[in-house]
């Protein structure tokens, strides 16, 4: 703090000092959203959260033009409060000085940091983005490197000061109706979390836990078989780059197929859906998967589905109500090939997105749903509720509870999907 007792910034920071700062990462350009109006863009999120915005600008071979970019962002939507700038990929001190002076002089916004071009070997990428921490052996070294960059190149005190200017907002806490599940709380829901399957919204797992589920983490690459669980959730990830290890763990693949045939509720999204198929072909080599579904999967050099999805539920299933609308997103290079249409039931009609074939998504077989689209539990609360309900129904049948307990479980629709 400075020595000026009347400094407004110091007064604000003194009241802010013991609070945590939430740093929210934007996606794409600040105004880029689902449509020409910028729906669901970072700008709209900033307005919703009453959050000041720090623009990170790619400064490659540009100086004064950066000021024009900032000026355009300022004028496009005055309700978006751009409070600071971070210059990225700066070539040197002279480059930084000209860009900084141009932006601060023309736009009246402070430049709070300038990051040089980074070593690409520290953050290796492939299709879908960065190498995941589960597969990257240099993750600790990369984190230390990134932390040093921030320490040396960003005015963190200034960043905290700007964060203290965030407006007040009221939050309406979502009510989770746990009372519906009191008779069968503490069901065991397995989650495959390993280098092959690592794409999960933490909110989704927390939603299952809030409804009373116990989470059991599973490794499809190393575990010999499924543990004692009442439902299974398989997220997205990179089954293609781990295909050999997945294929080699034959006993685990067999245990998955056996459990599905016995009625285990399984929710498999994107990479998880691929694992439920007959085979996976990647770079010319075909690997056996669980063979639960009569579908083969191949990988293209270009994305097959990328963006927001809107799905209409057209057929009965354990997880989504008939005729409801489900919002999600997809990002996959894989596509379904060698599909035995006569043996499959797609439950979703695709209103927006690609899914399996531009018109359909979500293959339902017994109590398995394999779907390309990822959903978020906060936006689709029926997903978590029905996941726990399905797990409870399976537990009732498998554990052979007493008739009184079984009668109480009627709310779980045990018979509707062949669960009891």
């Amino acid at each position: 703090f400075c020595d000026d007792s009347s400094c407004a910034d110091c007064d604000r920071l003194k009241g802010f000092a013991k609070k945590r700062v939430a740093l929210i990462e934007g996606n794409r350009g600040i105004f880029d959203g689902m449509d020409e109006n910028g729906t669901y863009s970072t700008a709209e999120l900033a307005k919703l959260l009453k959050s000041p915005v720090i623009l990170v600008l790619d400064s490659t071979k540009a100086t004064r033009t950066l000021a024009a970019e900032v000026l355009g962002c300022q004028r496009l939507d005055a309700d978006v409060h751009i409070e600071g700038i971070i210059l990225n990929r700066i070539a040197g001190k002279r480059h930084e000085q000209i860009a900084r002076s141009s932006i601060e002089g023309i736009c009246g916004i402070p430049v709070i940091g300038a990051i040089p071009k980074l070593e690409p070997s520290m953050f290796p990428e492939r299709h879908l983005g960065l190498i995941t921490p589960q597969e990257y052996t240099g993750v600790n070294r990369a984190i230390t490197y990134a932390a040093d960059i921030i320490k040396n190149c960003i005015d963190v005190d200034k960043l905290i000061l700007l964060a203290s200017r965030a407006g007040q907002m009221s939050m309406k806490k979502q009510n989770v109706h746990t009372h519906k599940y009191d008779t069968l709380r503490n069901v065991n829901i397995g989650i495959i979390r390993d280098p092959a399957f690592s794409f999960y919204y933490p909110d989704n797992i927390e939603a299952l836990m809030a409804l009373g589920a116990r989470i059991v983490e599973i490794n499809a690459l190393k575990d010999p078989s499924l543990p004692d669980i009442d439902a299974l959730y398989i997220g997205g990830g990179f089954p293609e780059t781990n295909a050999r290890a997945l294929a080699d763990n034959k006993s685990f693949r067999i245990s998955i197929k056996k459990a599905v045939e016995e009625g285990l509720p399984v929710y498999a999204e994107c990479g998880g859906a691929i694992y439920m198929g007959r085979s996976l072909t990647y770079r010319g080599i075909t690997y056996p998967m669980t063979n639960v579904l009569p579908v083969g999967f191949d990988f293209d050099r270009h994305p097959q589905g990328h963006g927001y999805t809107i799905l209409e539920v057209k057929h009965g299933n354990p997880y989504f109500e008939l005729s409801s609308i489900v919002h999600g997103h997809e990002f996959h290079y894989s596509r379904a090939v060698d599909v035995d249409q006569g043996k499959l039931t797609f439950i979703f009609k695709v209103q927006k997105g690609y899914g399996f074939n531009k018109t359909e998504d979500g293959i339902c077989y017994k109590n398995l749903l394999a779907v390309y689209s990822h959903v978020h539990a906060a936006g689709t609360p029926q997903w978590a509720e029905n996941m726990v309900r399905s797990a409870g129904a399976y537990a009732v049948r498998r554990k052979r509870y007493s008739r009184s307990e079984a009668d109480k479980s009627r709310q779980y629709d045990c018979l509707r999907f062949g669960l009891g």
Side-chain angles (χ1 to χ4, degrees):
F1 304 112
C2 68
D3 297 328
D4 185 356
S5 60
S6 63
C7 177
D9 284 344
C10 287
D11 284 343
R12 186 183 298 110
L13 281 175
K14 287 175 183 177
F16 198 69
K18 295 183 179 181
K19 297 181 180 179
R20 294 184 177 182
V21 173
L23 186 62
I24 305 161
E25 181 186 9
N27 182 38
R28 301 179 176 273
I30 183 171
F31 295 107
D32 299 329
M34 189 176 71
D35 52 32
E36 67 277 9
N37 296 316
T39 306
Y40 308 139
S41 66
T42 296
E44 294 302 312
L45 179 62
K47 290 192 292 185
L48 178 68
L49 299 178
K50 299 180 181 179
S51 173
V53 173
I54 307 296
L55 280 184
V56 181
L57 298 181
D58 184 349
S59 306
T60 305
K61 298 180 181 179
T63 53
R64 195 165 187 263
T65 301
L66 298 173
E69 291 182 27
V70 175
L71 199 60
C73 290
Q74 287 177 297
R75 294 185 176 181
L76 185 61
D77 190 341
D79 292 329
V80 177
H81 300 294
I82 301 172
E83 301 285 355
I85 305 296
I86 293 176
L87 303 173
N88 196 20
R89 298 181 180 176
I90 285 292
K93 286 295 183 183
R94 184 173 181 275
H95 183 195
E96 176 189 341
Q97 186 274 320
I98 297 174
R100 180 187 293 270
S101 297
S102 298
I103 292 170
E104 292 182 342
I106 295 170
C107 307
I109 296 178
V111 174
I112 67 170
I115 299 175
K117 296 178 181 178
L118 305 183
E119 298 177 28
S121 59
M122 284 290 185
F123 305 98
E125 296 187 46
R126 62 182 170 208
H127 63 284
L128 297 182
L130 296 172
I131 303 294
T132 59
Q134 292 86 350
E135 296 182 74
Y136 183 33
T137 57
V139 63
N140 291 328
R141 185 166 55 95
I143 290 173
T144 300
Y145 175 73
D148 288 341
I149 289 291
I150 297 302
K151 180 180 178 181
N152 297 325
C153 302
I154 304 294
D155 186 343
V156 177
D157 290 338
K158 187 68 172 180
L159 180 66
I160 294 173
L161 172 62
L162 296 176
S164 72
R165 297 175 182 172
Q168 295 295 318
M169 64 177 185
S170 59
M171 295 285 289
K172 183 183 294 184
K173 189 173 181 180
Q174 180 178 343
N175 293 318
V176 179
H177 302 296
T178 55
H179 64 278
K180 292 183 179 179
Y181 309 95
D182 284 344
T183 57
L184 288 173
R185 289 176 64 82
N186 298 323
V187 293
N188 295 323
I189 296 184
I191 295 180
I192 298 184
R193 194 196 295 265
D194 55 30
F197 306 104
S198 57
F199 290 1
Y200 294 95
Y201 287 121
D203 292 354
N204 286 15
I205 298 173
E206 291 170 8
L208 297 174
M209 295 172 65
L211 290 165
R214 287 191 298 249
I215 301 302
V216 180
E217 291 204 1
I218 304 167
N219 190 315
L221 307 180
K222 297 180 179 180
D223 292 347
S225 62
L226 279 178
D228 183 22
I229 55 176
D230 304 306
L232 178 63
Y233 178 22
I234 315 175
F238 291 98
E240 66 275 20
T241 57
N242 296 274
R244 171 57 64 191
L246 289 171
D248 286 347
N249 195 354
K250 186 175 180 180
S251 63
F252 188 84
R253 291 190 287 114
I254 291 173
S255 73
I256 289 268
K257 183 175 176 59
K258 181 175 182 291
V260 173
E261 295 295 341
E262 291 175 351
L264 178 72
V266 179
Y267 190 85
E269 56 189 8
C270 203
I274 294 172
Y275 190 47
M276 294 296 99
R278 179 192 301 119
S279 62
L280 182 164
T281 301
Y282 184 60
R283 294 182 177 176
I285 302 176
T286 299
Y287 304 90
M289 294 289 104
T290 61
N291 197 30
V292 174
L293 299 175
V295 183
F297 292 89
D298 198 356
F299 279 77
D300 199 277
R301 292 191 303 171
H302 305 288
Q304 300 300 292
H306 187 195
Y308 290 111
T309 59
I310 301 176
L311 310 173
E312 181 184 0
V313 183
K314 301 296 289 185
H315 295 281
N317 68 95
Y319 308 103
F320 301 100
E321 296 175 7
L322 197 62
S323 300
S324 64
I325 300 297
V326 176
H327 294 261
H329 87 276
E330 63 182 343
F331 187 14
H332 55 96
Y333 285 70
S334 64
R335 53 192 173 89
V337 295
D338 190 23
V339 179
D340 191 339
Q341 294 279 4
K343 296 182 179 180
L344 299 178
T345 300
F346 287 96
I347 71 158
F348 294 121
K349 177 183 178 182
V350 174
Q351 294 186 357
K352 177 179 175 57
Y354 189 94
F356 273 79
N357 54 21
K358 295 185 179 180
T359 60
E360 299 169 306
D361 198 2
I363 299 175
C364 191
Y365 174 70
K366 295 198 172 183
N367 297 308
L368 159 70
L369 181 58
V371 57
Y372 263 121
S373 187
H374 298 258
V375 299
H376 190 280
T380 314
Q382 61 172 310
W383 171 81
E385 293 178 3
N386 287 332
M387 187 80 182
V388 173
R389 180 167 63 182
S390 297
Y394 182 74
V396 166
R397 188 192 71 173
R398 185 171 63 97
K399 295 177 181 178
R400 297 180 181 177
Y401 289 150
S402 68
R403 171 170 288 277
S404 62
E405 289 174 312
D407 287 342
K408 292 177 183 177
S409 71
R410 296 286 179 189
Q411 61 190 306
Y412 296 96
D413 295 328
C414 294
L415 301 177
R416 184 174 180 187
F417 302 110
L419 291 168

